[in-house]
Amino acid sequence: MKTATLDIEKIRKDFPILSRKVNGQPLVYLDNAATSQTPKQVMDAIVDYYSRYNANIHRGVHTLSQEATDAYEQARIKIQKHFNAARAHEIIMTSGTTHGINLVARGFTGFLKQGDELWVSAMEHHSNIVPWQMLCERTGARLRVIPMNQNGELELASFREGLSDRTRLVFVNHVSNALGTVNPIEEIIDLAHGAGAAVLVDGAQAAPHIRADLQALDVDFYTVSAHKLCGPTGVGALYGKEAWLEKLPPYEGGGEMIEEVTFEKTTYAGLPHKFEAGTPNICGGIAFGAALDYLNAIGMEAISGYEAELLDYATAELLKIPGLKIYGQAARKTSVISFNLEGIHPYDIGTILDKLGIAVRTGHHCAQPVMDFYKIPGTVRASFSFYNTREEADRLVAAVEKARQMLS
Ligand code: 7TS
């Protein structure tokens, strides 16, 4: 299939895994919100690193170490440019979104006191809830929740009214992993800044679909994971405004994050190294840069446009199935469809889909408060990427219909 902007057939050839079979059926991979697949261009970057210049970075005078350091720092610049951060040292390399959020939450410990208020949204992944609860335990700060409605959209009225000089931090995802909702982060950032609070946006689910312009957003912190962006697992990035990163204490101590160490006193290195103790995931960082190159060669706007068409098509087709309910019908969504069939457990549907070669995620998607809101144990989640096709959406729909007939 060739659309106006994306040559899907050509793109699919870049992903060797897409031509494998599962349970005797051609794989239909619709678990992209959990992790994306890896194009051979990214695999080539990994093989090239280990074949030609595997070395530790920032330490050696030798050629291999210098080449590895250059490639790693180039990757940081690619991340900076991709998200339009003002400075490369505002990009902290992490092991992923979870690490980035913990780094910031830990860093705020000394800045909060009893009675301070932190706001979270009702539709967060656990990794954007638990580190803040731990911060509240350490400091006596209080967590308040921006509520959501049945469509899966945030309701900002109580947030607007509740903001005060006690509000210190707001953390919200750009896109919900459980529902696909694109949240109004521009407005949330404006409101929070109006009250003098800092904002962390969890961009894990947005980054594969929407390119955030960090300077235009004026956000204080933004986190992403490479593995949702056609990169490898175990690597990600935290953007922080220079002024905040200067202020926050280091997260971990160790090599590479110091300026000078004696047994009496250690002084810390400047940004970004202050937050990057120990040998990082060098190859992963370089491969993250290669993944961004890959996505940019296709074009994020073309990707978003194509995925929006797929979302509309798959949503309309799924809704033809009797008893099928979609959770998350926000006006602005990415290509995630969370659904259930009346009277049938999501796990049972997922198991049948797997037998038919279709990979989806079932369960609470690490977003239990969202499931509690809808009073359900979980959903079946089909999450589409730019390498998925209408034919695959048709296979999903046919398989869900088959599951319905088998299970009802
Ligand atoms: N935030 C959001 C919104 C996420 O969707 C995820 C992972 C994370 C944070 C954590 O990212 P990590 O790379 O540090 O693990 N979400 C999912 C998911 O929806 N299914 O599997 C992982």
Side-chain angles (χ1 to χ4, degrees), residues 31 33-35 96-99 101 125 127 173 175-177 202 204-205 225 227-228 361 365 381:
D31 196 16
T35 203
T97 296
T98 304
H99 178 194
I101 295 171
H125 187 278
S127 70
N173 57 37
V175 167
S176 154
N177 72 315
D202 168 355
Q205 291 293 342
S225 296
H227 71 91
K228 297 195 198 283
R361 185 169 171 185
H365 315 298
R381 184 185 67 182

Side-chain angles (χ1 to χ4, degrees), residues 100-359:
I101 295 171
N102 276 281
L103 188 157
V104 177
R106 176 67 64 173
F108 267 86
T109 308
F111 297 128
L112 299 184
K113 58 178 188 314
Q114 185 88 27
D116 281 347
E117 292 183 347
L118 318 180
W119 285 82
V120 64
S121 97
M123 60 174 88
E124 297 305 311
H125 187 278
H126 296 162
S127 70
N128 204 23
I129 302 174
V130 182
W132 306 109
Q133 288 173 326
M134 293 161 79
L135 174 64
C136 287
E137 278 170 25
R138 291 195 294 276
T139 59
R142 182 163 84 101
L143 209 57
R144 300 188 65 181
V145 181
I146 306 174
M148 60 185 265
N149 62 27
Q150 285 294 325
N151 279 343
E153 294 167 319
L154 293 180
E155 295 277 359
L156 296 187
S158 62
F159 172 61
R160 222 176 265 121
E161 285 155 23
L163 286 166
S164 74
D165 55 7
R166 289 211 272 219
T167 312
R168 303 299 306 281
L169 266 168
V170 179
F171 20 95
V172 59
N173 57 37
H174 193 169
V175 167
S176 154
N177 72 315
L179 305 172
T181 308
V182 181
N183 284 314
I185 57 164
E186 297 82 358
E187 194 179 350
I188 291 171
I189 293 165
D190 274 357
L191 288 166
H193 284 173
V199 182
L200 177 142
V201 172
D202 168 355
Q205 291 293 342
H209 313 287
I210 302 166
R211 182 207 297 272
D213 180 331
L214 298 173
Q215 290 185 76
L217 280 174
D218 194 29
V219 68
D220 301 286
F221 302 99
Y222 195 90
T223 59
V224 295
S225 296
H227 71 91
K228 297 195 198 283
L229 280 163
C230 297
T233 53
V235 64
L238 164 72
Y239 160 81
K241 272 188 189 160
E242 183 184 57
W244 272 118
L245 294 177
E246 293 287 4
K247 229 187 285 185
L248 295 187
Y251 176 57
E252 292 177 311
E256 280 303 303
M257 52 77 72
I258 53 89
E259 189 181 65
E260 206 167 54
V261 177
T262 66
F263 283 110
E264 287 69 43
K265 186 176 162 50
T266 291
T267 49
Y268 303 127
L271 296 175
H273 306 293
K274 173 175 129 182
F275 293 104
E276 296 182 351
T279 300
N281 183 348
I282 302 166
C283 179
I286 293 167
F288 186 3
L292 292 179
D293 287 345
Y294 180 79
L295 293 173
N296 285 320
I298 297 172
M300 288 306 296
E301 285 196 6
I303 285 174
S304 301
Y306 175 73
E307 289 174 344
E309 281 173 26
L310 257 186
L311 173 70
D312 287 349
Y313 177 74
T315 302
E317 292 300 307
L318 277 170
L319 284 172
K320 291 179 186 164
I321 297 175
L324 186 141
K325 177 167 180 188
I326 292 179
Y327 298 90
Q329 307 251 34
R332 284 188 70 206
K333 269 188 77 169
T334 58
S335 45
V336 169
I337 308 178
S338 239
F339 64 92
N340 274 332
L341 286 174
E342 206 178 343
I344 301 174
H345 199 279
Y347 180 83
D348 295 335
I349 301 168
T351 306
I352 290 178
L353 295 189
D354 179 57
K355 293 265 181 305
L356 298 169
I358 301 171

